Amino acid sequence: MNKVQQAQSLFLDGYLCSQSVLMTYASLFDLEPEKAARIAAPFGGGVARRGETCGAVNGAFMVLGLKYGHTSADDLDSKEKTYSGVEQFISQFQELNGSIRCNELLDCDISTPEGLQSAYDSQLFVTRCPKFVGDTMEILDQIMDADGENNEP
């Protein structure tokens, strides 16, 4: 099973989009899947179902931070590499999907009880979200492969 299939499978099994992305990459960073799930848990549904930045996109940001993020205040090269990867990711995701905002992607305001119920009734989480998770994984692979660094943290 490739990363796209693995993340989509996790999502369809009930994990949040953010969890599915981070959990799929967890082993590259010696991160236990359970810990990855906990770290990513608040970011589903556009951050706690607020409909803001898509959880899959947030998961991608976490992966890029783990891969390229700086660990000392004066490491400006790593900081710029992280920001560059995030900008590249956003650009590609928006090109494919028109937005990185959950409510816009779903065309439904899931931050309200009525909107959330409408999303469930319309099966948006089953019909649209797996594509966003898959797109996220493909874009992450492209970004990380560009450095020849997709296999090692």
Side-chain angles (χ1 to χ4, degrees):
M1 185 179 322
N2 66 32
K3 286 186 186 89
V4 171
Q5 294 166 330
Q6 183 180 352
Q8 288 173 326
S9 177
L10 286 167
F11 180 77
L12 293 172
D13 284 347
Y15 287 99
L16 301 171
C17 43
S18 54
Q19 291 173 313
S20 301
V21 171
L22 187 58
M23 289 171 70
T24 299
Y25 276 97
S27 65
L28 286 178
F29 305 104
D30 294 326
L31 184 61
E32 295 175 13
E34 296 81 12
K35 189 168 280 190
R38 287 183 180 177
I39 291 167
F43 297 94
V47 183
R49 277 194 304 231
R50 293 184 52 103
E52 299 298 333
T53 302
C54 167
V57 172
N58 280 311
F61 296 165
M62 288 182 257
V63 169
L64 292 169
L66 284 166
K67 181 68 177 173
Y68 302 115
H70 63 290
T71 57
S72 65
D74 62 349
D75 185 357
L76 299 180
D77 289 338
S78 292
K79 182 178 181 180
E80 289 308 315
K81 190 167 191 165
T82 304
Y83 285 177
S84 175
V86 167
E87 287 294 331
Q88 183 180 350
F89 179 90
I90 290 171
S91 176
Q92 289 182 33
F93 191 91
Q94 283 180 320
E95 186 176 318
L96 289 172
N97 298 296
S99 179
I100 63 168
R101 292 195 68 244
C102 186
N103 282 347
E104 292 172 8
L105 292 166
L106 296 176
D107 196 27
C108 182
D109 185 357
I110 65 168
S111 69
T112 67
E114 302 80 22
L116 183 61
Q117 188 59 53
S118 176
Y120 281 121
D121 292 346
S122 300
Q123 298 186 5
L124 297 179
F125 301 119
V126 176
T127 59
R128 292 192 186 178
C129 295
K131 178 194 182 311
F132 305 138
V133 170
D135 289 348
T136 294
M137 300 306 292
E138 289 176 4
I139 296 167
L140 276 174
D141 275 349
Q142 290 172 13
I143 292 170
M144 293 171 69
D145 281 344
D147 287 338
E149 300 179 9
N150 200 5
N151 296 321
E152 296 296 326

